[in-house]
Amino acid sequence: MFTSCFSERQIFFISMRRRRICKFIGSRKGFLFLMVTLPIFYASWQLSHVVGQALIPPPPPDQILHHFRANRSLVHYLDNINLLIEPSSVCQKKVPVLILVTSTPSHFRHRDVIRNTWGKHQETYFFLGLSQDDDRLADAYIEAKQHSDLIVHEFQDHYQNLTLKVGLMLQWALDRCPRAEFVFKTDDDVLLNPRTLDTVLADNKDAALFGYKKENSIPHRDEYTKWYLPRWLYNEDLIPEYLSGTGYIINGKNLKEIFTASLHIPLINMEDVYFTYLVAKRALELPLTHDRRLSPYKPWIFTCPYKNYASIHSLSPEEMESIWSKIQSLGESKFCNYFTSELLLY
Ligand SMILES: *[C@@H]1O[C@H](CO)[C@@H](O)[C@H](O)[C@H]1NC(C)=O
Ligand SMILES: *[C@@H]1O[C@H](CO)[C@@H](O)[C@H](O)[C@H]1NC(C)=O
């Protein structure tokens, strides 16, 4: 097959050695040799490419946060971000608790599992960001049409843009569902237990904000952690208190003042520290109420304690499905009714 690898005229000029190579390639042995070596060459070339890519560090978050250097006013962002998709009608009935879930374009599976498990039990909406020219926008339209629970804004969906996403969420809630009694901000890897949630809401009905309170936390100053909080955004050495962003609840009565105050407080990239500490606690002097049933963790043993949690964090969609069905059966278990597992809560 390679006998014609050189033209007659070239063959005249090439040396005997090269002619032998040409002959070898043309032979059956040569063919086999190529069949074996070419894939190996190709694979190692690909591998070196992948390894090379992995060795190039991602851009430091400082660079990603750069746009905050130009303007840290929430109103500046909200004015420039378009709403691309939203359900045509929301909050038709009385809403005891409006659940707002931060999601991301690729998390179809997370959203589907939530819709089929705890999401069925209360008004639940998912928020994500996409740009107009993103191919995934078409999928988002289809998903939105099917489920009427998707809200898409035009911005880059990135972890470091979470504060903007939550700002957009609160704005949307005020516009579209102003009479919700409570607004629950959570993430798509959190499982809610509607039964316990009802008790938690009843127990905290007069609280302005409640959730899992963290006290005297030290901000992460290492650029490469997900929770990097640079000094130029937050200069203090401690965060005195804030409610974990995995699930905090705002009383409907306080939603407007919190949103309005946030428009004038310089943004930081940590959404929970921003809204619950900087805006609610520090600027408005609203108390933050701790409730350990809104857990930012996954319980360390699986028995009755699961029943005592209103939210559990850090679950894959598969775990969420299996824990959901277990919680359903625990609901009927007499054993768990007698067993006070409060002690096992974190
Ligand atoms: C940030 O944006 C707001 C609203 O658009 C504007 O009023 C303000 O002057 C801007 N700040 C800076 C530092 O550019
Ligand atoms: C966050 O969103 C803003 C507004 O769309 C954009 O300018 C900025 O680049 C985004 N940041 C990241 C890290 O995607």
Side-chain angles (χ1 to χ4, degrees):
M1 67 182 280
F2 283 96
T3 40
S4 62
C5 64
F6 300 110
S7 75
E8 298 270 341
R9 227 166 121 228
Q10 280 173 318
I11 287 172
F12 182 79
F13 290 107
I14 58 175
S15 68
M16 283 302 285
R17 201 163 143 242
R18 278 173 91 182
R19 216 188 271 192
R20 270 209 299 275
I21 293 173
C22 196
K23 208 169 153 200
F24 172 71
I25 293 172
S27 70
R28 182 192 271 185
K29 240 192 204 156
F31 178 70
L32 284 174
F33 175 76
L34 282 180
M35 292 304 280
V36 172
T37 51
L38 281 182
I40 294 176
F41 271 121
Y42 180 73
S44 29
W45 179 71
Q46 284 286 327
L47 189 70
S48 67
H49 187 71
V50 170
V51 170
Q53 285 286 315
L55 290 177
I56 301 169
D62 227 52
Q63 227 161 295
I64 294 170
L65 294 170
H66 213 72
H67 58 106
F68 280 144
R69 289 199 191 262
N71 200 317
R72 285 174 62 192
S73 130
L74 183 58
V75 83
H76 164 79
Y77 289 94
L78 299 186
D79 282 351
N80 290 302
I81 295 177
N82 297 319
L83 178 57
L84 299 178
I85 301 177
E86 70 168 328
S88 52
S89 73
V90 296
C91 295
Q92 296 296 316
K93 309 183 294 256
K94 189 170 170 279
V95 181
V97 57
L98 174 69
I99 318 268
L100 308 176
V101 185
T102 51
S103 191
T104 198
S106 58
H107 282 191
F108 311 102
R109 175 111 176 88
H110 293 71
R111 292 191 288 276
D112 264 342
V113 170
I114 292 176
R115 286 181 187 118
N116 295 326
T117 57
W118 58 264
K120 286 188 291 201
H121 296 263
Q122 56 274 305
E123 203 106 359
T124 302
Y125 296 97
F126 300 95
F127 287 73
L128 40 103
L130 276 171
S131 69
Q132 286 273 20
D133 51 13
D134 196 309
D135 296 338
R136 294 171 298 179
L137 193 56
D139 298 325
Y141 273 110
I142 297 169
E143 188 181 336
K145 207 165 167 123
Q146 258 170 5
H147 302 285
S148 302
D149 62 3
L150 208 58
I151 291 106
V152 182
H153 285 91
E154 187 177 6
F155 73 104
Q156 230 180 314
D157 200 307
H158 190 285
Y159 190 76
Q160 298 301 347
N161 257 348
L162 205 53
T163 314
L164 297 184
K165 195 184 278 180
V166 177
L168 292 162
M169 272 177 159
L170 301 186
Q171 183 184 42
W172 184 89
L174 268 175
D175 282 350
R176 306 291 194 263
C177 203
R179 289 204 308 273
E181 279 174 56
F182 292 102
V183 172
F184 192 156
K185 184 267 146 186
T186 189
D187 299 335
D188 63 8
D189 58 350
V190 172
L191 181 141
L192 298 195
N193 181 352
R195 250 188 241 210
T196 315
L197 180 58
D198 284 346
T199 324
V200 168
L201 294 176
D203 292 349
N204 293 289
K205 65 180 190 308
D206 299 318
L209 270 104
F210 48 105
Y212 196 96
K213 184 151 82 177
K214 302 213 171 174
E215 285 177 293
N216 296 325
S217 318
I218 299 166
H220 289 262
R221 303 294 190 192
D222 169 9
E223 277 197 278
Y224 288 97
T225 66
K226 191 174 164 188
W227 305 278
Y228 171 55
L229 181 55
R231 271 197 185 276
W232 61 271
L233 284 177
Y234 184 88
N235 196 24
E236 284 118 276
D237 293 322
L238 280 182
I239 304 161
E241 56 181 290
Y242 72 99
L243 300 176
S244 163
T246 55
Y248 58 83
I249 301 176
I250 303 175
N251 196 317
K253 293 186 204 110
N254 302 94
L255 184 61
K256 188 160 186 185
E257 60 175 323
I258 291 174
F259 176 73
T260 313
S262 74
L263 297 174
H264 308 288
I265 293 167
L267 288 167
I268 64 167
N269 53 328
M270 300 280 98
E271 141 311 287
D272 45 9
V273 177
Y274 180 72
F275 284 103
T276 68
Y277 173 62
L278 291 178
V279 178
K281 175 73 195 174
R282 201 155 80 172
L284 297 170
E285 295 178 355
L286 295 170
L288 305 181
T289 305
H290 176 56
D291 194 313
R292 56 190 181 152
R293 292 170 293 186
L294 295 162
S295 175
Y297 309 109
K298 206 160 34 173
W300 51 277
I301 51 166
F302 184 89
T303 52
C304 307
Y306 270 67
K307 223 181 100 171
N308 294 342
Y309 284 99
S311 67
I312 300 165
H313 175 233
S314 198
L315 303 180
S316 68
E318 291 70 31
E319 285 175 304
M320 203 180 283
E321 269 175 337
S322 78
I323 294 179
W324 174 254
S325 60
K326 285 176 188 153
I327 286 181
Q328 298 302 94
S329 54
L330 280 181
E332 273 97 59
S333 147
K334 287 227 169 57
F335 173 67
C336 284
N337 286 341
Y338 296 122
F339 182 61
T340 47
S341 36
E342 277 281 303
L343 282 176
L344 294 169
L345 285 176
Y346 279 88

